[in-house]
Every structure is written in structure tokens, then in C-alpha cells.
């Protein structure tokens, strides 16, 4: 079980609809009990609150699912918004039995609250039914914001055009309203013809830039974003348009007290098997989003999460020189299944690869590794050795990063049971690690040289 990252007992954390008030984040989310599999038993929205992403208070069911005969047999994703004197939940009512009855399976619905805890369904849904020409079974995940420039509310959601599921007609569509009651359909908001479907759409502004976030499952199966100086686009693709890799999915953001947090979940793998595919839902892991000087977005560990680790052990600076081979230094044995690691790393000209190994077994030389390919400007999570072929499904477990000899790279990593999360220069990668061949931590370099400074390890979490 995870000791740090959040997952309610006996359930798996699904899509999160975050909200923040005073010093607390409200995590409205789905809890899948996998009875007998993901999406097996219908669910509503549950609620947990936290001020530090270390300690969570369970608030139970916030919006209960409907009956098997009602539109919201399942309550799919949506958003929480404050306006017109109340809190509003705009959500997707999904009934898996409706298509065979000739009804749309996914319809936008509405609930209201005065305290963020107790909610009343309004049953308002007629305005938000799938529009003509759009797929009635892919119409979900509404997000509401205030468009101050035009003095109106805006609601965007993920959709696709009617037609074969293979068609990449995924798009974000838009409604507007003056009062959160009467809504006008405005057509497509962003229709790039890149993905089969847009999920968990998000829209926010930092400084002069607007950012539109979409989760997709037909290309690289992860979150991507576009940026624009206008709320209506055109939308520019940054060089690295993602926040994380394949295992981190369906995140929404919320900014509270100057900190914009990305609320995504790290997927489990089928049968807890390194070689198998990812499945829906898992464990909540927060990223803090920040804006770089050029307007692009990076992510880092929230300070409260990093500071939860205490009694950091300082490792003496060291140098690995391995010009025509690969060498590894074990920097700590017996790390256990919860620890944090930080180091500044500089690689020399001509170095082929370097990296960090966790759950390392020095005797068998089996481990997981985050390996930085200096000539390819990317890093990957994989098993080492990858024998017998293949020992780890690593497709999508990689990130692009500009690797420059002589530059100092600060690496921070947290391992919490089966989850490893690493951050390098605002580029994050989460991965699931199940077999755990050992419990040492090592650093290696191949056909080059590596200088390691300011290295710290902690295997202790502070108590509540």
C-alpha cells in the first residue's frame, strides 16, 4: 500500500474534479471498486480534503450515482465552480444501458451546494444533450470558467463527431451563459483532428498566456496542452506539449494561494504485472504546475510533499568515470519501499547514457532504471536487464528532455511502494514498479563520465 500518495482503501482513484477554498483542496473524485473490473460497478463522486497532500480527510459520498434506470447510473467527470451565489457541479451522467434503448448514453447534468459537501441534483440536462452531428456516446467531462473579457460564463467539454471510432474527430466544444442557467451552444472550441476523443478538458490563464489541456487516448494516451494569447486561440503547440508519461492520466488543475496543482492519477497495470498494459484508475499523485520564462509549462513536486520526508542523509559528492564501459555506484542499500532522493548531476561530453536505479539488487544486477539517453534527448523508465525479452512494458514511459554536456541537472525522485515519480528540469515521469528485485539505490554512467553533487536520501516520513 502507498504510504504517501492518496488512494482510499479498497478502491482505485479515478478522475478528479478539484476545487480550493481557504487553505484546503477539495478532491471530488470517482472511487472504482473493480467489482469485478474497472467500470464494473457504477459509482458517483466521493470527496476528500487536504491542505498539504500528506493528510487527507474522507468526506464520503458527495454526489451519489442514480439508479440503473436513470441517466446518471454512473457519474462521470465534470467540474466544480462558484457563481451566482452557489457552488455548482456540472457533471456527466452516463448510463451504459441507454444506447440499446435508443438514448444518448452521456448527457451533461447539474447539481448545486451551499457548502461544497451537501449537494442537490437539479435534473437540468436538456440544454446539454449531445448536439446534432456529434457522437451521443462521447460527450463528457464539462469544465466551467468565468470569461471576464466577454462578461459571461463558459463551459467547454470533450466530444467527437459521429462516425467510426477510428476517425480522429475529437474536439473541444463550447457553451456560453450569462447566468449559469440558460446556455447557448457555440460550436467547436478546438478541433485539431489529432485524437479520437478529448477528455478532461481544462482551460486556465497564467500571465499573458491561456492554456488548454486535453487528455487523449488514441495517440500517446496522456495529457497534452496548447497555449495562446487569446482565450479563443489560435492554439500553439509547445515543443514538449505534455506534463508526464503514459501512466499519469486525466488530470485537472486548480490554483489556490498561488499554487496551481495538477490532479492526475497514476494508473495500475493489469494483474499488477510489469509486462501488461495500464488500466483505468489508480492512485492520486499531485504535480505543481509553473510557467517558464518562454511561457511553456513545467511541473515540480509540491513543497509540502517534498518536505514530508525528514532525516535526510547526505551522500558525499562522487565522480563516475567509465569511458568505454558502464559503471554503477550504489549510494544506499536497504531503501525500503518509501524514500526520496535528490542530486545535482553533470555529464561530460560524449557520455552515452546515465541514470538512476531503484529497487536495485547489486548481486543479480536486476533493477528498474530511469535512463537518460544523451544522444536522443529523452529519458525512459525500464527494467534492467531487459531479459528475458521483454520484462517491462515501457511504451509511453518516456519523456523528452534537452540533455547538454556540462549543464547541472537537478533530479528529484520519490518512490512510494509501486509508484516511482521523477522530476528533472520541470519534466516529470511516473511509473509503476511491481516486482521489486531489490531495495538499493544506484547511479550509473555508460561510456562517459558523471559528476554527482548535493545528493540526499530520506527513508522517513514525518508523522501527522
Amino acid at each position: 500500500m502507498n504510504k504517501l500518495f492518496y488512494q482510499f482503501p479498497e478502491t482505485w482513484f479515478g478522475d478528479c474534479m478539484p476545487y480550493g477554498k481557504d487553505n484546503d483542496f477539495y478532491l471530488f473524485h470517482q472511487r472504482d471498486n473493480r467489482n469485478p473490473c474497472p467500470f464494473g460497478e457504477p459509482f458517483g463522486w466521493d470527496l476528500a480534503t487536504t491542505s498539504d497532500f500528506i493528510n487527507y480527510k474522507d468526506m464520503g459520498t458527495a454526489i451519489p450515482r442514480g439508479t440503473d434506470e436513470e441517466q446518471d447510473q454512473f457519474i462521470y467527470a465534470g467540474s466544480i465552480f462558484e457563481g451566482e451565489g452557489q457552488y455548482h457541479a456540472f457533471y456527466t451522467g452516463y448510463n451504459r444501458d441507454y444506447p440499446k434503448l435508443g438514448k444518448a448514453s452521456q448527457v451533461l447534468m447539474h447539481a448545486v451546494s451551499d457548502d461544497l459537501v451537501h449537494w442537490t441534483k437539479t435534473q437540468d440536462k436538456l440544454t446539454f444533450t449531445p448536439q446534432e452531428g456529434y457522437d451521443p456516446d462521447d460527450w463528457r467531462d464539462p469544465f466551467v470558467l468565468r470569461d471576464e473579457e466577454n462578461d459571461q460564463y463558459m463551459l467547454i467539454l470533450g466530444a467527437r463527431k459521429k462516425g467510426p471510432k477510428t476517425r480522429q474527430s475529437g474536439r473541444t466544444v463550447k457553451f456560453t451563459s450569462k447566468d449559469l442557467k440558460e446556455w447557448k451552444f457555440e460550436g467547436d472550441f478546438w478541433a485539431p483532428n489529432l485524437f479520437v476523443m478529448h477528455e478532461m478538458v481544462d482551460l486556465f490563464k497564467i500571465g499573458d498566456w491561456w492554456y488548454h489541456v486535453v487528455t487523449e487516448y488514441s495517440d500517446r494516451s496522456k495529457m497534452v496542452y496548447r497555449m495562446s494569447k487569446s482565450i479563443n486561440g489560435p492554439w500553439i503547440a509547445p515543443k514538449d506539449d505534455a506534463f508526464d508519461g503514459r501512466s499519469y492520466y486525466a488530470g485537472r488543475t486548480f490554483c489556490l494561494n498561488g499554487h496551481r496543482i495538477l490532479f492526475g492519477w497514476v494508473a495500475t497495470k493489469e494483474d499488477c504485472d510489469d509486462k501488461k498494459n495500464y488500466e483505468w484508475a489508480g492512485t492520486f499523485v499531485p504535480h505543481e504546475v509553473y510557467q517558464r520564462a518562454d511561457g511553456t509549462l513545467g511541473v515540480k513536486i509540491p513543497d509540502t510533499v517534498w518536505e514530508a520526508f525528514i532525516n535526510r542523509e547526505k551522500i558525499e559528492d562522487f565522480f563516475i568515470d567509465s569511458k568505454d564501459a558502464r559503471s554503477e555506484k550504489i549510494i544506499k542499500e536497504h531503501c525500503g519501499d518509501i524514500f526520496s532522493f535528490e542530486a545535482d548531476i553533470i555529464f561530460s561530453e560524449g557520455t552515452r547514457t546515465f541514470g538512476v536505479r531503484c529497487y536495485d539488487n547489486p548481486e543479480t544486477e536486476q533493477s528498474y532504471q530511469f535512463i537518460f539517453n544523451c544522444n536522443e534527448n529523452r529519458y525512459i523508465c525500464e527494467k534492467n536487464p531487459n531479459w528475458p525479452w521483454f520484462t517491462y512494458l515501457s511504451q509511453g514511459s518516456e519523456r523528452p528532455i534537452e540533455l547538454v554536456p556540462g549543464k547541472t541537472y537537478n533530479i528529484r525522485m520519490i518512490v512510494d511502494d509501486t509508484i516511482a515519480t521523477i522530476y528533472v528540469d520541470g519534466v516529470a515521469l511516473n511509473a509503476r514498479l511491481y516486482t521489486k528485485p531489490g531495495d538499493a539505490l544506484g547511479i550509473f554512467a555508460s561510456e562517459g563520465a558523471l559528476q554527482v553533487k548535493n545528493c540526499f536520501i530520506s527513508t522517513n516520513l514525518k508523522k501527522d
Side-chain angles (χ1 to χ4, degrees):
M1 291 294 295
N2 300 103
K3 297 181 176 66
L4 174 64
F5 298 130
Y6 180 72
Q7 184 178 343
F8 190 76
E10 307 302 321
T11 68
W12 285 259
F13 191 98
D15 297 347
C16 185
M17 286 57 66
Y19 191 80
K21 182 182 178 183
D22 298 327
N23 294 315
D24 290 324
F25 285 101
Y26 289 70
L27 282 65
F28 296 88
H29 62 284
Q30 302 149 346
R31 293 176 181 172
D32 194 330
N33 60 17
R34 296 195 175 167
N35 183 21
C37 59
F39 299 108
E41 187 172 301
F43 47 71
W45 284 6
D46 285 273
L47 174 62
T49 62
T50 183
S51 61
D52 56 12
F53 302 109
I54 307 300
N55 303 294
Y56 293 84
K57 181 179 180 181
D58 175 44
M59 306 295 288
T61 299
I63 305 179
R65 55 156 291 204
T67 67
D68 286 345
E69 289 71 39
E70 292 180 291
Q71 178 70 58
D72 56 354
Q73 178 190 44
F74 288 78
I75 298 186
Y76 275 7
S79 65
I80 305 296
F81 183 79
E82 183 180 7
E84 305 298 317
Q86 279 186 307
Y87 297 105
H88 300 260
F90 293 89
Y91 62 93
T92 309
Y94 168 70
N95 191 305
R96 61 186 168 194
D97 302 318
Y98 272 17
K100 62 187 178 184
L101 302 176
K103 300 179 182 180
S105 67
Q106 298 182 16
V107 169
L108 272 58
M109 303 180 74
H110 183 214
V112 294
S113 173
D114 294 322
D115 60 5
L116 288 170
V117 177
H118 304 92
W119 292 85
T120 301
K121 297 178 183 179
T122 66
Q123 302 302 326
D124 297 340
K125 62 176 185 293
L126 295 179
T127 304
F128 296 114
T129 52
Q131 300 293 298
E132 185 67 30
Y134 293 85
D135 190 328
D137 299 318
D138 277 312
W139 182 265
R140 58 182 175 270
D141 306 348
F143 178 80
V144 178
L145 72 157
R146 180 69 183 171
D147 178 5
E148 297 289 355
E149 183 177 338
N150 296 297
D151 189 28
Q152 62 185 359
Y153 299 103
M154 180 189 297
L155 182 150
I156 58 175
L157 68 139
R160 68 183 311 276
K161 287 290 191 178
K162 283 183 178 178
K165 195 73 171 181
T166 51
R167 289 184 57 194
Q168 294 163 311
S169 65
R171 57 202 57 223
T172 305
V173 300
K174 170 183 172 182
F175 289 84
T176 58
S177 174
K178 293 293 185 180
D179 57 7
L180 293 176
K181 295 179 181 178
E182 299 297 325
W183 292 89
K184 179 183 177 183
F185 182 59
E186 303 280 5
D188 292 340
F189 178 74
W190 184 50
N193 297 317
L194 291 172
F195 315 117
V196 166
M197 177 63 183
H198 291 191
E199 294 191 307
M200 292 296 283
V201 296
D202 194 356
L203 183 63
F204 57 88
K205 190 179 186 183
I206 303 178
D208 295 331
W209 288 98
W210 283 95
Y211 300 92
H212 180 35
V213 180
V214 165
T215 299
E216 59 81 21
Y217 54 72
S218 60
D219 181 22
R220 293 170 295 166
S221 199
K222 61 182 183 182
M223 282 172 286
V224 297
Y225 76 93
R226 296 294 185 265
M227 48 197 290
S228 176
K229 289 293 182 73
S230 166
I231 194 172
N232 295 311
W235 297 100
I236 302 167
K239 186 175 181 179
D240 176 11
D241 67 348
F243 302 98
D244 205 313
R246 166 65 185 93
S247 69
Y248 191 80
Y249 201 74
R252 277 266 176 78
T253 72
F254 195 90
C255 186
L256 180 65
N257 299 328
H259 297 277
R260 181 167 292 277
I261 304 298
L262 179 60
F263 294 76
W265 44 265
V266 176
T268 51
K269 284 188 172 181
E270 296 167 350
D271 301 321
C272 299
D273 188 333
D274 282 340
K275 298 185 292 295
K276 292 190 176 180
N277 208 347
Y278 292 103
E279 55 192 348
W280 189 83
T283 309
F284 167 61
V285 173
H287 290 321
E288 182 168 348
V289 178
Y290 68 91
Q291 186 184 61
R292 300 187 179 100
D294 63 358
T296 62
L297 299 177
V299 292
K300 62 181 182 179
I301 302 173
D303 291 342
T304 54
V305 177
W306 187 248
E307 292 164 2
F309 289 89
I310 58 174
N311 302 326
R312 298 185 188 276
E313 176 185 351
K314 176 72 167 68
I315 307 299
E316 290 299 317
D317 297 351
F318 61 92
F319 188 77
I320 298 176
D321 190 0
S322 188
K323 289 185 171 57
D324 60 354
R326 180 176 64 190
S327 296
E328 178 182 15
K329 178 178 176 59
I330 299 296
I331 56 177
K332 184 175 179 61
E333 296 183 340
H334 311 302
C335 291
D337 60 2
I338 178 76
F339 66 88
S340 69
F341 159 76
E342 180 176 23
D344 291 329
I345 291 180
I346 304 170
F347 70 92
S348 65
E349 184 75 41
T351 301
R352 186 172 180 83
T353 66
F354 67 91
V356 181
R357 288 182 176 150
C358 59
Y359 289 127
D360 196 342
N361 186 325
E363 182 176 346
T364 66
E365 298 186 7
Q366 293 174 296
S367 69
Y368 296 92
Q369 64 182 17
F370 290 92
I371 180 170
F372 293 77
N373 291 286
C374 302
N375 298 323
E376 300 176 9
N377 288 314
R378 63 175 181 148
Y379 72 92
I380 307 165
C381 179
E382 61 184 14
K383 280 284 242 347
N384 180 70
N386 200 358
W387 175 89
W389 185 266
F390 62 99
T391 58
Y392 189 81
L393 177 63
S394 59
Q395 184 173 357
S397 295
E398 66 176 80
R399 297 286 282 117
I401 185 170
E402 187 178 5
L403 296 171
V404 180
K407 177 180 175 179
T408 300
Y409 290 89
N410 177 258
I411 295 178
R412 282 185 169 186
M413 183 169 73
I414 291 176
V415 172
D416 182 8
D417 192 28
T418 62
I419 296 175
T421 313
I422 190 168
Y423 299 80
V424 189
D425 277 6
V427 180
L429 181 61
N430 269 284
R432 283 283 182 180
L433 319 175
Y434 285 109
T435 57
K436 303 177 184 176
D439 67 350
L441 181 70
I443 293 180
F444 68 93
S446 301
E447 299 168 273
L450 194 69
Q451 189 173 9
V452 180
K453 299 180 178 181
N454 304 317
C455 183
F456 293 88
I457 299 175
S458 170
T459 59
N460 301 112
L461 282 176
K462 64 184 178 183
K463 304 299 182 183
D464 295 348

